[in-house]
Amino acid sequence: AQSVSQHNHHVILSEAASLELGCNYSYGGTVNLFWYVQYPGQHLQLLLKYFSGDPLVKGIKGFEAEFIKSKFSFNLRKPSVQWSDTAEYFCAVITADRGSTLGRLYFGRGTQLTVWP
Amino acid sequence: GAGVSQSPRYKVAKRGQDVALRCDPISGHVSLFWYQQALGQGPEFLTYFQNEAQLDKSGLPSDRFFAERPEGSVSTLKIQRTQQEDSAVYLCASSLAGLAGDPYEQYFGPGTRLTVT
């Protein structure tokens, strides 16, 4: 089975600090990559996704992520966080080779981000 | 427009009881996924439907778990003889398509929190 690792379980930052959340996956073939966010009391929402092309992808609310194939990584970044970014962030992967399981997402265990005003 | 809805939002069951969890996907979405999220963990895949066909049920943890989508829209996840380890949030997601490589995101519902006492 594929695995997705998120290195930080809980990150605490002050407003305006820079953010980088790590994500590594184990699959050696073609992948589609996602970051989902869950704000307090809300459901999972897509933050950004990578399917192909430019490995640096930009998402909503100023977030971006970089796919580095050689490192099996898809780290999430934001130059300056806000209090409203407090949420849980999940990295997820779909294996995209022919014959791979259709569309199922493999999730990391999540990183809780707390931003102090 | 309406998103994915799930009912009930909360369910408390006594050990040994049967439960049924409902998912209403976004209208027109072909693919439907069920995930289980234990406390402090990321969602884990349970099963996948494309229209009414259940194409992958490899994530169902035991034969006590059963899912159906008889008309290709609403889906029900049924858990028979519930056990304490079944306590989790059950998430439903729908997508326009489910094939790996399709650039369609999965839209998640709010989940049903099941507590087995």
Side-chain angles (χ1 to χ4, degrees):
Chain A
Q2 315 314 320
S3 68
V4 179
S5 299
Q6 292 184 239
H7 314 299
N8 310 101
H9 297 154
H10 197 176
V11 173
I12 302 172
L13 296 172
S14 297
E15 274 195 320
S18 64
L19 170 72
E20 181 159 4
L21 301 181
C23 172
N24 287 87
Y25 61 93
S26 64
Y27 188 66
T30 305
V31 291
N32 303 146
L33 299 156
F34 305 80
W35 277 96
Y36 279 85
V37 61
Q38 188 166 26
Y39 297 103
Q42 296 188 26
H43 56 273
L44 277 168
Q45 316 174 28
L46 184 68
L47 200 55
L48 48 77
K49 62 186 178 186
Y50 171 80
F51 276 74
S52 63
D54 189 345
L56 183 64
V57 292
K58 295 189 184 299
I60 60 172
K61 303 186 179 184
F63 286 91
E64 64 178 31
E66 184 175 15
F67 170 47
I68 303 180
K69 189 174 181 180
S70 61
K71 295 185 177 180
F72 299 89
S73 71
F74 190 56
N75 292 355
L76 181 70
R77 298 194 293 250
K78 185 172 184 179
S80 177
V81 295
Q82 300 173 311
W83 174 78
S84 58
D85 293 326
T86 294
E88 190 152 22
Y89 293 80
F90 293 93
C91 181
V93 171
I94 291 176
T95 58
D97 292 328
R98 179 190 296 274
S100 60
T101 306
L102 298 178
R104 63 181 286 182
L105 284 162
Y106 295 88
F107 282 89
R109 65 174 293 178
T111 297
Q112 174 64 46
L113 171 66
T114 301
V115 180
W116 293 105
Chain B
V4 178
S5 61
Q6 293 186 246
S7 61
R9 293 291 311 278
Y10 303 90
K11 177 69 179 178
V12 179
K14 291 187 177 178
R15 186 168 166 269
Q17 280 185 331
D18 298 349
V19 298
L21 312 180
R22 177 188 169 104
C23 172
D24 282 85
I26 293 173
S27 178
H29 277 196
V30 167
S31 298
L32 186 145
F33 303 81
W34 284 98
Y35 294 87
Q36 179 191 57
Q37 186 175 15
L39 190 63
Q41 303 296 321
E44 291 198 2
F45 171 82
L46 293 176
T47 187
Y48 161 64
F49 290 86
Q50 190 167 78
N51 296 307
E52 68 278 4
Q54 189 174 21
L55 297 187
D56 187 350
K57 55 181 180 179
S58 62
L60 296 175
S62 78
D63 58 7
R64 295 185 297 103
F65 286 71
F66 171 76
E68 60 183 5
R69 194 186 185 199
E71 297 178 358
S73 57
V74 171
S75 177
T76 304
L77 176 67
K78 297 179 179 177
I79 309 173
Q80 297 177 324
R81 305 180 304 281
T82 53
Q83 304 293 316
Q84 281 192 318
E85 61 263 29
D86 300 335
S87 295
V89 175
Y90 290 85
L91 298 169
C92 177
S94 72
S95 173
L96 277 169
L99 296 177
D102 278 338
Y104 299 117
E105 69 179 270
Q106 293 181 26
Y107 293 83
F108 283 82
T112 294
R113 182 177 296 278
L114 172 65
T115 303
V116 182
T117 61

